[in-house]
Amino acid sequence: GTLTVAELKGPGQIAHIWCTIAHEAPHYSRLMTLRIYWDGEEHPSVEVPIGDFFGIGHGIDKSFVSLPIKVSSDGRGRNCYWPMPFRKSARITVTNESDRKCHAFYFYVDWQQHKSLHEDTLYFHAMYRQEFPCVMGRNYLLADIKGRGHYIGTIQSVQMMSPGWYGEGDDFFFIDGEIEPRLRGTGTEDYFCDGWGFRVQDGPFYGTPLWEGYETGNHGTAYRFHLTDPVTFKKSLRVEIEHKGSQHFPDGKENGFIERDDLMSSVAFWYQTEPHKSWPALPPGPERLADRPHQLVVGWREVINAKHSDHPIQVQRLPGVAQEGKQLWFTPADDKGWVEVSFTLDKELAGGLRGNLIQSWDYGIYRVSLDGKELATVDLYAKDVTRKACDWGKQTLAAGAHTLRFECTGKSAQSKGYFFGLDSVLVPGSVYERPPGFDLRKI
């Protein structure tokens, strides 16, 4: 669900936000989303997993001290001091995108009322991005901004996909549409004001509060806040960083400067005029976890072979909502509709079975079963078109064919129909597990 933390009437300025959370889910702080809307805007100017916004990625709780952000209580007491002015209104929400309960969300929002704001006052923005893994052949994009303003900070989180050092990548700032970057760095730890690799440390303007080391699976988070050296722009700003470093190969050879396929995420902070440029859709909570032990086996493509009752079935485009921009769309006129999709595994797999279904104002209630065994009953009604993440528990799936059945059992009182939307079904088995002999030199 979504909690409205504050609805404020301006002119005013938020001076401090504090929160602490009691949540059942591991990595809960990446499964909860903070959004802030200025002056009644439709799209938020802040849209970030709450842990990443407060300086630590991966859904890990850890304390550190900087000037605009301080986290205490072993990572559970979160504070930020970014000045956030607004002219007409401010609305702050927090959404739990986990399949587990948030037992408590405690908070303060400290703000000041003003008679007016200067006409040149800029608005605070923060945007989350991720690439799991980094896309080969292009730099990692930290920010792509249109308007007038100044850039004030970066938080970068990484999970290592192989041993070695990921941080040989240079940073690039392209200001006001420049072809060549105005600012160009000499390495990742150099941009984050450190040197010769990373180690755990923090400070007012930069730090690496989380650094587990240089082995496969290790996590790291670094921050740099441009409080005394903001990067100003009049029309636009594009910020990129390379994902390069050292790599050891199966044949025993080593390369000290090559693209790496690590799992990377980031938060960019800046002030600018409104309206801001539209952002890509934020990945749903479960997809923001780098350690997802799942692989896609069923999606909208199954519309070709799906068995179903005598009702229309088709592919519908849902960019920004469905994982691949499309859904299997089934539109029965009553509660007698059903759909069956099949998949085949070449080996036995054991672990959590998950599904991403689509919700909307005219969708029904569906019973989900696997090979005749009932898994859950899901109400797919929602006021707006959204993706619903479903956890269907630990399953042992034998090698061979399997069938998922989605059977309509009715609709909620608010719903106007019995429709059904399938985005994807994921089974155990790491998305990012490399095949034997994997070699980045061949990509």
Side-chain angles (χ1 to χ4, degrees):
T2 296
L3 169 70
T4 298
V5 172
E7 287 191 282
L8 313 175
K9 292 185 178 180
Q13 177 170 287
I14 295 170
H16 170 234
I17 299 174
W18 164 86
C19 68
T20 192
I21 305 166
H23 202 298
E24 291 183 355
H27 315 299
Y28 70 93
S29 65
R30 182 156 275 187
L31 298 169
M32 301 186 73
T33 305
L34 174 71
R35 293 181 174 90
I36 305 180
Y37 303 79
W38 306 126
D39 297 352
E41 62 187 354
E42 180 181 357
H43 301 290
S45 290
V46 173
E47 189 174 37
V48 183
I50 202 160
D52 296 78
F53 180 83
F54 287 94
I56 301 287
H58 311 289
I60 294 174
D61 290 349
K62 202 169 188 302
S63 298
F64 76 99
V65 178
S66 74
L67 195 60
I69 297 172
K70 178 177 179 178
V71 181
S72 56
S73 185
D74 298 321
R76 300 172 300 175
R78 296 177 169 92
N79 295 266
C80 82
Y81 297 89
W82 296 111
M84 303 181 191
F86 55 95
R87 289 182 172 82
K88 298 178 181 178
S89 65
R91 181 164 65 96
I92 304 175
T93 67
V94 172
T95 302
N96 179 21
E97 298 187 40
S98 164
D99 57 0
R100 300 192 187 184
K101 184 176 182 179
C102 177
H103 290 286
F105 185 88
Y106 300 92
F107 61 92
Y108 271 99
V109 177
D110 299 314
W111 68 292
Q112 308 146 355
Q113 282 188 324
H114 296 289
K115 291 182 178 179
S116 64
L117 296 178
H118 192 277
E119 62 181 8
D120 288 333
T121 298
L122 303 178
Y123 288 80
F124 177 80
H125 291 72
M127 180 185 70
Y128 172 86
R129 288 198 73 257
Q130 69 179 42
E131 289 182 7
F132 291 171
C134 288
V135 178
M136 309 301 283
R138 74 181 190 204
N139 294 338
Y140 180 88
L141 179 66
L142 290 167
D144 186 13
I145 303 166
K146 300 292 184 183
R148 175 178 61 84
H150 49 271
Y151 189 84
I152 56 165
T154 305
I155 296 171
Q156 182 195 60
S157 298
V158 64
Q159 181 171 346
M160 311 283 277
M161 279 296 291
S162 58
W165 166 235
Y166 89 98
E168 290 301 324
D170 300 344
D171 54 288
F172 305 90
F173 286 76
F174 300 86
I175 300 173
D176 295 338
E178 294 170 327
I179 302 301
E180 292 295 325
R182 184 91 57 93
L183 305 175
R184 178 170 182 164
T186 57
T188 302
E189 82 271 45
D190 305 346
Y191 168 70
F192 287 100
C193 302
D194 208 339
W196 306 105
F198 280 140
R199 70 281 303 148
V200 175
Q201 48 96 20
D202 58 13
F205 306 116
Y206 71 92
T208 316
L210 175 65
W211 184 252
E212 296 176 344
Y214 301 89
E215 300 300 323
T216 301
N218 284 168
H219 302 85
T221 295
Y223 65 85
R224 177 178 177 181
F225 299 132
H226 297 256
L227 300 183
T228 62
D229 57 337
V231 181
T232 59
F233 52 94
K234 295 179 180 179
K235 299 178 182 179
S236 64
L237 178 68
R238 184 177 178 89
V239 187
E240 302 175 356
I241 194 165
E242 297 170 318
H243 47 95
K244 294 182 177 180
S246 62
Q247 185 73 49
H248 301 271
F249 297 100
D251 58 9
K253 294 183 179 179
E254 180 179 355
N255 190 314
F257 188 68
I258 191 172
E259 281 194 299
R260 289 177 54 96
D261 60 338
D262 298 305
L263 314 184
M264 191 172 292
S265 57
S266 60
V267 183
F269 298 91
W270 73 95
Y271 289 86
Q272 73 158 100
T273 54
E274 287 285 6
H276 62 265
K277 180 180 178 179
S278 297
W279 303 342
L282 185 72
E287 294 182 18
R288 302 198 292 255
L289 298 180
D291 297 311
R292 301 196 313 271
H294 293 81
Q295 59 182 339
L296 179 68
V297 294
V298 172
W300 58 269
R301 294 179 179 85
E302 304 304 319
V303 72
I304 299 172
N305 300 313
K307 298 180 181 179
H308 58 95
S309 56
D310 188 20
H311 300 96
I313 190 169
Q314 59 183 291
V315 173
Q316 183 188 44
R317 286 181 52 80
L318 286 179
V321 179
Q323 182 168 307
E324 295 183 329
K326 299 177 182 179
Q327 70 160 335
L328 181 155
W329 194 35
F330 180 57
T331 55
D334 53 37
D335 60 0
K336 304 297 189 294
W338 58 268
V339 177
E340 288 185 352
V341 293
S342 299
F343 61 94
T344 302
L345 300 177
D346 58 4
K347 64 179 180 180
E348 179 179 290
L349 295 173
L353 180 68
R354 295 181 182 177
N356 290 314
L357 305 180
I358 302 299
Q359 295 180 290
S360 190
W361 59 274
D362 52 357
Y363 282 41
I365 299 173
Y366 278 77
R367 180 187 299 117
V368 184
S369 59
L370 173 66
D371 299 332
K373 174 188 174 183
E374 184 174 339
L375 300 176
T377 297
V378 185
D379 186 352
L380 297 179
Y381 167 78
K383 291 182 180 180
D384 301 307
V385 180
T386 58
R387 176 166 39 176
K388 181 178 180 64
C390 304
D391 187 343
W392 294 323
K394 292 184 178 179
Q395 308 291 333
T396 299
L397 305 176
H402 298 272
T403 299
L404 278 161
R405 181 180 174 92
F406 303 92
E407 184 176 2
C408 187
T409 62
K411 65 181 182 67
S412 66
Q414 305 99 310
S415 180
K416 304 298 182 182
Y418 301 90
F419 293 176
F420 171 80
L422 172 63
D423 176 8
S424 56
V425 174
L426 304 99
V427 301
S430 174
V431 177
Y432 312 115
E433 183 178 352
R434 291 170 166 173
F438 179 84
D439 194 334
L440 283 168
R441 293 170 294 186
K442 298 178 181 177
I443 296 180

